[in-house]
Amino acid sequence: VQLQASGGGLVQAGGSLRLSCAASGRTFSSYAMGWFRQAPGKEREFVAAISWSGGSTYYADSVKGRFTISRDNAKNTVYLQMNSLKPEDTAVYYCAADPDGSSWSPTLEEKYDYWGQGTLVTVSS
């Protein structure tokens, strides 16, 4: 599986962006998907995740109520809609795929076997 993240850019605080992650391969619909981010000088952290069916989602407390993860299995794409952006949301955002359908641990990086290249989001104050 190859993942291609896009949609990052520069936005003012309070603004919105939508990130996309396009996946190759026929098994996308069986993968749980997640978004992580890494701010300068900090470790990568979990942002949001969605189950293979889209029926379950999970968010970091820092983005709950502002970000929404969704997926379109027909388009092999997962999205992250980011609203009310804050300067502390500035980071490189990575999408990742978890092929293990037997269990779902959305925040564990080690569960995600495939990673995209990252897209930079910069929020100015």
Side-chain angles (χ1 to χ4, degrees), residues 108-120:
L108 297 182
E109 286 194 33
E110 54 265 35
K111 286 282 290 180
Y112 295 87
D113 290 350
Y114 306 102
W115 292 80
Q117 85 290 357
T119 185
L120 176 62

Side-chain angles (χ1 to χ4, degrees), residues 9-10 21 30-32 41 44 46-47 53 63 69 72 95 100 104 110-111 113 115-116 121 124:
L10 174 63
C21 177
S30 66
Y31 292 175
R44 189 159 59 188
F46 169 78
V47 175
S53 67
V63 307
I69 189 171
D72 185 339
C95 59
D100 183 3
W104 189 40
E110 54 265 35
K111 286 282 290 180
D113 290 350
W115 292 80
V121 172
S124 63

Side-chain angles (χ1 to χ4, degrees), residues 36-121:
F36 291 76
R37 68 186 181 187
Q38 187 167 21
K42 295 187 177 182
E43 293 188 351
R44 189 159 59 188
E45 64 176 2
F46 169 78
V47 175
I50 189 166
S51 62
W52 65 271
S53 67
S56 297
T57 57
Y58 194 81
Y59 297 92
D61 288 344
S62 58
V63 307
K64 202 172 294 182
R66 300 188 297 123
F67 291 11
T68 302
I69 189 171
S70 62
R71 67 189 297 160
D72 185 339
N73 286 343
K75 295 182 178 180
N76 279 14
T77 303
V78 63
Y79 305 98
L80 185 67
Q81 177 67 44
M82 305 185 295
N83 299 328
S84 302
L85 282 162
K86 305 175 181 180
E88 51 263 43
D89 295 317
T90 295
V92 176
Y93 283 71
Y94 299 90
C95 59
D98 171 10
D100 183 3
S102 64
S103 64
W104 189 40
S105 300
T107 67
L108 297 182
E109 286 194 33
E110 54 265 35
K111 286 282 290 180
Y112 295 87
D113 290 350
Y114 306 102
W115 292 80
Q117 85 290 357
T119 185
L120 176 62
V121 172

